[in-house]
Amino acid sequence: MREDLAENWGIKAVTVYDKPASFFKETPLDLQHQLFMKLSRTYSAFRACSEPSDSGMERSAFTERDAQSGTVTCLPGRPALLVSSTSWTEDEDFSILLAALEKFEQLIDDGESLPPLVCVITGKGPLKEYYSRLICQKHFQHIQVCTPWLEAEDYPLLLGSADLGVCLHRSSSGLDLPMKVVDMFGCCLPVCAVNFQCLHELVKHEENGLVFEDSEELAAQLQMLFSKFPDPAGKLNQFCKNLRESEQLRWDESWKRTVLPLITDT
């Protein structure tokens, strides 16, 4: 955008990148469990496949809590949690994700070592009903897709609990970056994002996520990232580690470093 302003408008500008608010962070396991149990009351994708044999245990699709000790653990063989957010407009083609999920489902049917998936797509917008009908027509066996509208305080908790984010935003101008990815990175959540002109300023391919062009490429990335899930030595875990170790400025600190000097120097 700075280059476009200089070349086409003769304006000299300083770039201020969007940064996540401080409440976008990794979610502790006990808060993950609370969130999953809360969402399970409305959305079946978060409910346990079976009730625990011990009445003193509380179980979601992903976690289990010992009521006596309060200890929360991840369920062995749990699904992978994939999350995306959208305003359901023509700027985002969710048929790309649905086609990739179909290919992922076929890979599981073919015997690949892949986990079941829970795919959560949050948001409201004009095309939500259209895509909801498409989702219902898929009849997935190993994938559950739900499209909730979350309370404001639950959205960062969900991002901080997920295993992978997906971004289908294509900038109509080619000059703006998706804020949803900024928030996901604040939660140390790796992202697969559809490519466009300036995306490389945010998503560093093979460092904090992956960039794809179409559903075939996204499906291959999902297969690679979720192979033998959860794999401590896998690429998904390495992306998380890279995000934790990177210097991630928050919005207020970025403003102080970049904008405040411009104001105080005038």
Side-chain angles (χ1 to χ4, degrees), residues 38 150-158:
K38 176 182 178 180
L150 297 177
E151 296 176 17
E153 62 269 22
D154 288 341
Y155 178 62
L157 293 176
L158 177 67

Side-chain angles (χ1 to χ4, degrees), residues 18 20 42-43 79 84 87 89 115 120 129 150 154 157 170-171 188 196 200 238 258:
D18 277 328
T42 307
Y43 305 103
S84 187
S87 52
T89 66
V120 181
E129 287 189 15
L150 297 177
D154 288 341
L157 293 176
R170 289 186 189 269
S171 169
C188 296
F196 63 89
H200 65 277
Q238 184 60 52
T258 310

Side-chain angles (χ1 to χ4, degrees), residues 51-68:
E51 291 299 319
S53 55
D54 185 344
S55 60
M57 303 296 285
E58 181 183 64
R59 182 181 292 175
S60 74
F62 306 91
T63 52
E64 190 171 60
R65 180 180 180 273
D66 185 319
Q68 186 172 358

Side-chain angles (χ1 to χ4, degrees), residues 116-151:
L117 280 184
V118 172
C119 176
V120 181
I121 309 170
T122 71
K124 289 182 178 180
L127 293 178
K128 183 173 182 178
E129 287 189 15
Y130 168 76
Y131 280 111
S132 294
R133 289 194 296 271
L134 288 184
I135 291 166
C136 289
Q137 293 168 10
K138 296 302 179 184
H139 303 297
F140 290 125
Q141 298 301 309
H142 309 288
I143 299 169
Q144 297 185 74
V145 182
C146 65
T147 57
W149 174 249
L150 297 177
E151 296 176 17

Side-chain angles (χ1 to χ4, degrees), residues 208-265:
N208 55 20
L210 298 170
V211 176
F212 61 88
E213 300 288 347
D214 53 33
S215 62
E216 291 280 350
E217 197 168 4
L218 175 58
Q221 291 174 359
L222 296 179
Q223 179 184 7
M224 181 266 292
L225 292 173
F226 288 129
S227 178
K228 300 178 182 177
F229 175 87
D231 181 6
K235 187 157 286 189
L236 189 62
N237 199 54
Q238 184 60 52
F239 291 162
C240 291
K241 182 181 177 183
N242 292 345
L243 284 164
R244 292 186 192 109
E245 293 176 352
S246 65
E247 183 190 12
Q248 290 202 69
L249 291 179
R250 298 298 165 160
W251 188 91
D252 52 352
E253 184 61 29
S254 176
W255 193 92
K256 289 176 184 176
R257 288 193 187 187
T258 310
V259 180
L260 188 58
L262 298 175
I263 298 173
T264 54
D265 289 346

Side-chain angles (χ1 to χ4, degrees), residues 19 71 94 109 118 134 162 192 255:
K19 297 295 179 182
T71 302
F94 270 83
D109 287 338
V118 172
L134 288 184
C192 291
W255 193 92

